[in-house]
Amino acid sequence: MEELGNDRGIATSLTTVASLRSTLGQEKEALALLRRSHALYDKVGYRQGVMTSGKRIGMVMLALGRPDSAMVMLEKAVALEREFEAKDLMSETLNGLARAYRLTGRTTDARRVLTESLTIARELKDGTSECAALALLGRVLLDEGQPADAIRRCTEGLRLAEQVKVLAE
């Protein structure tokens, strides 16, 4: 049992180092560390660690221009977030998943998950996630040939961002 505890500690440390690497723009190095972390969390059966590391792998894959691989990881992360009722994490993950869908031409799926992201962000009064979802929704609408709706959504996001900034000051 001690070995499993050590593996979980190692996985946590790997995730921390990966986060630092990603912050420094060292995405490939971060991805390698996150994969090791993910495998260790899976080995010890720590599903919340699998959820978190999977989400981070997906986000790094997006940064590396690999939306197909990101999509797989982010879909799994969203499923685990639903299972754990981790609504506080879902908007960010759904926004990442929507980016992956958009980049692979799946705009209908992107709109669907962005609608869910917006609902959750508004429910939790998470202005940052709501702004991100509105901006991405604007891009999706533009991709779909709806420039007026795209501008409306992006303008809505801008107004909200300005309100959030004022409240934070």
Side-chain angles (χ1 to χ4, degrees), residues 15-55:
T15 301
T16 301
V17 174
S19 179
L20 293 172
R21 292 279 193 172
S22 184
T23 299
L24 295 170
Q26 300 171 358
E27 305 296 351
K28 288 181 182 177
E29 295 83 352
L31 181 58
L33 294 166
L34 286 168
R35 283 185 170 149
R36 286 179 55 204
S37 172
H38 191 73
L40 286 172
Y41 282 135
D42 191 45
K43 174 183 171 186
V44 300
Y46 184 54
R47 292 173 51 77
Q48 288 173 316
V50 169
M51 173 185 73
T52 302
S53 60
K55 172 182 181 168

Side-chain angles (χ1 to χ4, degrees), residues 72-85:
V72 171
M73 296 307 294
L74 293 169
E75 286 173 340
K76 289 177 183 178
V78 167
L80 287 168
E81 288 171 354
R82 288 187 207 292
E83 181 182 322
F84 288 114
E85 298 178 4

Side-chain angles (χ1 to χ4, degrees), residues 65-120:
R66 297 170 53 192
D68 288 315
S69 299
M71 191 183 331
V72 171
M73 296 307 294
L74 293 169
E75 286 173 340
K76 289 177 183 178
V78 167
L80 287 168
E81 288 171 354
R82 288 187 207 292
E83 181 182 322
F84 288 114
E85 298 178 4
K87 277 192 167 184
D88 57 319
L89 303 175
M90 284 187 70
S91 281
E92 180 185 17
T93 312
L94 288 167
N95 288 346
L97 182 55
R99 282 182 55 214
Y101 284 149
R102 177 181 173 256
L103 292 169
T104 57
R106 295 175 57 180
T107 58
T108 301
D109 290 324
R111 262 189 296 106
R112 177 181 48 79
V113 297
L114 286 168
T115 299
E116 183 179 3
S117 175
L118 284 167
T119 300
I120 292 168

